[in-house]
Amino acid sequence: QTVFIPRELDANEPRVAASPDTVKRLAGLGLDVVVETGAGTRSRIPDEEFAKAGAVIGKAGDVAKADVVLKVRRPGEAELKGYKSGTTVIAIMDPYGNDAAVAALAKAGVTAFSMEFMPRITRAQSMDVLSSQANLAGYQAVIDGASEYDRALPMMMTAAGTVPAAKVFIMGVGVAGLQAIATARRLGAVVTATDVRPAAKEQVASLGAKFLAVEDEEFKAAETAGGYAKEMSKEYQAKQAALTAEHIAKQDIVITTALIPGRPAPKLVSAAMVDSMKPGSVLVDLAVERGGNVEGAVPGQVVTTANNVKIVGHLNVPGRVAASASLLYARNLYAFVETLVDKTTKTLAINRDDDLVKATMLTDGGKIVHPAFAKAAE
Ligand code: NAD
């Protein structure tokens, strides 16, 4: 059976769904691997490296022969025309609010898996694309913030005088936020952080940053069984805003990462808070593609306010470290594919009762099968 790795068509997607390492591993499972020419270029993996690892270098049309397609982004309707019915497609499907695109996957007859729905259980840790990509996004957010900031981050005591350490505030300390704290600390900043989940408090402290939050009864119950944050009440949000407003006014760089699964991102920084910051301060909004945490953030742009505060809203932040992001993403996909292949027959044998399959399968046999989307489509 054949695995095909296409070149991503989205101009804003430099990542690729395989690496030389995973090509070798996929071949080891008994699969024939075909990589579209140029698929790895923007992740600094030339065709020759894929070929050396055992892949055949092909063209876009080879998708028609594929039993499995590994991608970064969901294939669009035009792209799907090249797929044969029954093909297994594994990608970040981003189905929320994209009903027509999900319907198109079903109509094409492909078995589509949404990697971002992988349950956060021990067995699936190596398949957790949200974590692998958020970790790099958290790192890159600090790098982007530092490069827009026109002062140094570490305290520097020199013969010519002292440069004070920058104050960095991280809002939302899941995977991205924790890496942002670690990165800002490595650069010598004085770091504070906030979150609505009590578990975050200890993690922030263990990284040497100070935790700041409204720790009321609602805070104590803000973590879902899945480990994510709940959407907080209007009352809590007001208390949180009152607490953080004064703090934000004193910060040099604010990095926001707050997300709620399946919901728009919470608004954490108002226009008034942005205006309260000193000229030259920087906000980096990692949630900008999901509605944004910062008022005035524009997807894909660096906005400079009248008061000379910059609001950074880069799209696809993991893609800004594409070479690293692709290596980790490719390994996440491989770890999942390995569970779908029968080791003796060396063919695809999807166990539809497996919890990982049940959690991630979006379409199958011409239908939308994921419980969160099947009903809405009826
Ligand atoms: P996420 O991307 O969904 O959200 C980012 C952060 O924003 C979260 O920490 C969340 O609590 C926070 N947030 C949401 N609303 C907020 C608000 N109003 N104000 C401030 N902060 C707010 O989260 P994530 O990075 O996916 O991580 C969620 C949890 O899952 C973390 O505890 C993480 O450590 C855990 N996790 C577990 C595993 C595993 O067990 N395999 C893997 C990865 C992550």
Side-chain angles (χ1 to χ4, degrees):
Q1 287 183 314
T2 300
V3 185
F4 181 66
I5 296 101
R7 189 173 57 82
E8 294 294 319
L9 293 182
D10 191 324
N12 199 37
E13 187 49 81
R15 290 173 292 176
V16 57
S19 65
D21 166 64
T22 66
V23 164
K24 238 180 254 165
R25 289 170 192 264
L26 289 165
L29 292 177
L31 300 166
D32 296 325
V33 186
V34 182
V35 177
E36 182 180 344
T37 179
T41 309
R42 292 197 290 162
S43 286
R44 308 289 172 245
I45 310 171
D47 287 352
E48 304 78 72
E49 279 193 38
F50 279 128
K52 244 192 280 167
V56 171
I57 304 302
K59 49 186 196 315
D62 291 336
V63 73
K65 294 179 272 180
D67 301 290
V68 182
V69 179
L70 303 182
K71 271 190 70 42
V72 180
R73 302 224 175 192
R74 157 175 30 84
E77 222 167 320
E79 221 174 332
L80 282 167
K81 290 207 170 77
Y83 289 49
K84 68 178 184 201
S85 179
T87 301
T88 294
V89 193
I90 309 175
I92 299 171
M93 295 291 177
D94 187 25
Y96 285 115
N98 292 314
D99 295 348
V102 176
L105 289 167
K107 196 169 149 235
V110 299
T111 301
F113 289 96
S114 223
M115 283 303 283
E116 66 267 49
F117 293 158
M118 200 56 77
R120 285 183 152 173
I121 54 174
T122 308
R123 178 160 79 100
Q125 235 168 8
S126 58
M127 309 167 200
D128 187 347
V129 299
L130 292 183
S131 289
S132 75
Q133 304 302 294
N135 185 36
L136 285 163
Y139 159 82
Q140 184 63 27
V142 176
I143 300 301
D144 286 336
S147 74
E148 295 291 349
Y149 183 56
D150 34 24
R151 295 184 175 89
L153 264 68
M155 182 174 81
M156 293 181 192
M157 293 166 89
T158 77
T162 301
V163 175
K167 295 192 188 76
V168 176
F169 183 40
I170 316 286
M171 304 186 77
V173 280
V175 178
L178 289 173
Q179 184 57 253
I181 294 175
T183 305
R185 291 261 303 148
R186 282 182 211 119
L187 288 174
V190 175
V191 184
T192 50
T194 188
D195 202 297
V196 292
R197 291 178 302 105
K201 187 175 181 174
E202 213 176 295
Q203 293 166 345
V204 167
S206 74
L207 287 171
K210 203 168 152 236
F211 190 69
L212 179 82
V214 175
E215 299 182 42
D216 62 3
E217 290 305 313
E218 192 176 344
F219 171 87
K220 285 177 192 148
E223 182 159 324
T224 66
Y228 293 103
K230 288 182 189 154
E231 189 160 31
M232 305 304 272
S233 68
K234 286 262 174 304
E235 294 73 40
Y236 185 93
Q237 288 178 39
K239 283 194 266 181
Q240 187 185 29
L243 177 76
T244 52
E246 223 179 288
H247 188 66
I248 287 172
K250 292 183 229 147
Q251 299 305 307
D252 299 303
I253 298 176
V254 174
I255 292 173
T256 69
T257 78
L259 293 176
I260 302 153
R263 303 279 310 142
K267 275 277 173 292
L268 299 180
V269 183
S270 66
M273 293 182 199
V274 173
D275 286 338
S276 77
M277 295 179 78
K278 295 182 291 279
S281 305
V282 180
L283 294 117
V284 181
D285 190 347
L286 276 190
V288 73
E289 286 173 87
R290 302 269 298 276
N293 296 139
V294 180
E295 204 174 335
V298 180
Q301 285 185 34
V302 178
V303 176
T304 306
T305 69
N307 190 34
N308 274 315
V309 174
K310 286 183 190 168
I311 309 173
V312 179
H314 289 312
L315 297 172
N316 191 12
V317 177
R320 294 171 65 77
V321 252
S324 299
S326 292
L327 292 191
L328 301 187
Y329 181 74
R331 270 303 279 273
N332 292 145
L333 288 199
Y334 171 77
F336 183 47
V337 171
E338 196 183 10
T339 70
L340 303 179
V341 172
D342 185 312
K343 302 281 178 308
T344 39
T345 62
K346 296 187 190 285
T347 55
L348 212 59
I350 298 169
N351 173 6
R352 285 168 174 75
D353 292 325
D354 185 323
D355 287 338
L356 306 188
V357 170
K358 281 198 274 193
T360 55
M361 194 189 266
L362 198 56
T363 64
D364 190 31
K367 289 200 182 65
I368 300 172
V369 295
H370 195 283
F373 302 94
K375 248 210 151 58
E378 270 167 18

